Amino acid sequence: MKEFVQLFLSALRGSESNFTSGSINRAIFLLSVPMILEMVMESLFAVVDVFFVARIGTEAVATVGLTESVLTLIYSIAIGISTAATALVARRVGEGQPEEAGKSVVQVILVSLALAVLMGLPGVIFAEDILQLMGGDPRLVANGSGFTRLIFASSPAIILLYTLSGALRGAGEASIAMRALWIANGVNIILCPLLIFGFGPVPAYGVIGSAMATTTGRSVGVLYQLYALTRNHRSVRVNLSRLVPDMDIIRNLLSLAAGGTAQFLVGSASWIFLTRILSTFGSDIVAGYTIAIRIIIFTILPSWGMANAAATLVGQNLGAGEPGRAETSAWRAAFYNMLFLVMVGIVFFTSATEIVGLFNRDARVIGIAVQCLQIFCLGYVFFAYGMVISQSLNGAGDTRTPTLINIFCFWVVEIPLAYFLANTAGWGPPGVFWSVAISESLLAVIAVLVFRRGRWKTVQV
């Protein structure tokens, strides 16, 4: 027990950053603990917001749900660059080149800021049109446009929080990325109820107060990441005074990010279509779905922590010329993730009503959220392997293969199946939920078969 506690504390401190030798189980643990806690902190943004917004009313929850469904396009960009940053930095660290790793981080910052402006500005200008396009009624559009506008204006903070975390994970500095999310969430948790409901001289801003709190928290988290990166000299050396474009690194970064972004863009676009299908059944359905997805995110993101740990291990070990160790790391991380998600799935299936009841008291909203949770958790064994193996391919720099798998599973299978089951077959909202469980399981099977072929071991980054 004493050894476990010491190892856990070591993981929190981030005492190791190079994982190209030694015990693989130890490496997975040291990387996974801070990455899991980081992902839990990221998911808290969603859970905390919906927890307090639900106290305002169903319309406010629907506003958040419709906005977030479109905002996932920006998340896709952020996650894509983050994926590229992890692969680039991990490979340079594995090769023993901290200066080159630092140069890559500088280019990640420049690309992140440029894309944040390109993606966020249209959302600020066309906030009302976005809500209307997503099926919001006139009252929802009028009351929720301020929330949508501010959230899109915070795009630089959203993207940088993701991309800098990706760079830190690639460098093996997962504990720093974790602490940044702790700080960001601490600010959000304090400000969310204060700005939504008001207190003393602080007025009640309603749903827009949630956007204000989240934006402030994320911005503070980014400032901490920049502070830490410029003062860390173990595995990556960053000099912000050299914030000048390096087109060779940028081309390499964008080449990798294109695949990573496309993966999540494909997935995000599919979620938008699914939300649009569900919106035809009413705001109560969207609200129930939104609550269920936020709860699912809370459990899936820790799993992404293990998947990200696998990506770092694969990248660093390929850089060090250890492809066998890279493969073993991926399979072990996937197995541990499966054990975790099976336990979560059992809890969801048996206690969904009680869990959802913490967020909403409307019987119709609860019913939809419970259906969503129980159907999704049936595919958790497959989800576990799909997450880790896909991220392992990304960590190797093979972002093209997961992109093609996503296109097939989400656009060719999931969206048509969701429409068919919900409308043609007359299943209603549960048809949409079943389409997700089926397509995600299919994705996992294909990813495993591709990974076993081993072509990812020869990818050059």
Side-chain angles (χ1 to χ4, degrees), residues 261-279:
T261 298
Q263 289 171 46
F264 292 97
L265 193 60
V266 167
S268 299
S270 71
W271 284 107
I272 292 176
F273 281 108
L274 296 181
T275 303
R276 187 66 183 88
I277 293 172
L278 288 170
S279 70

Side-chain angles (χ1 to χ4, degrees), residues 80 83 254-265 394 399-400 402-403 406:
T83 299
L254 291 178
S255 177
L256 290 171
T261 298
Q263 289 171 46
F264 292 97
L265 193 60
N394 286 326
T399 58
R400 179 175 178 272
T403 301
N406 282 10

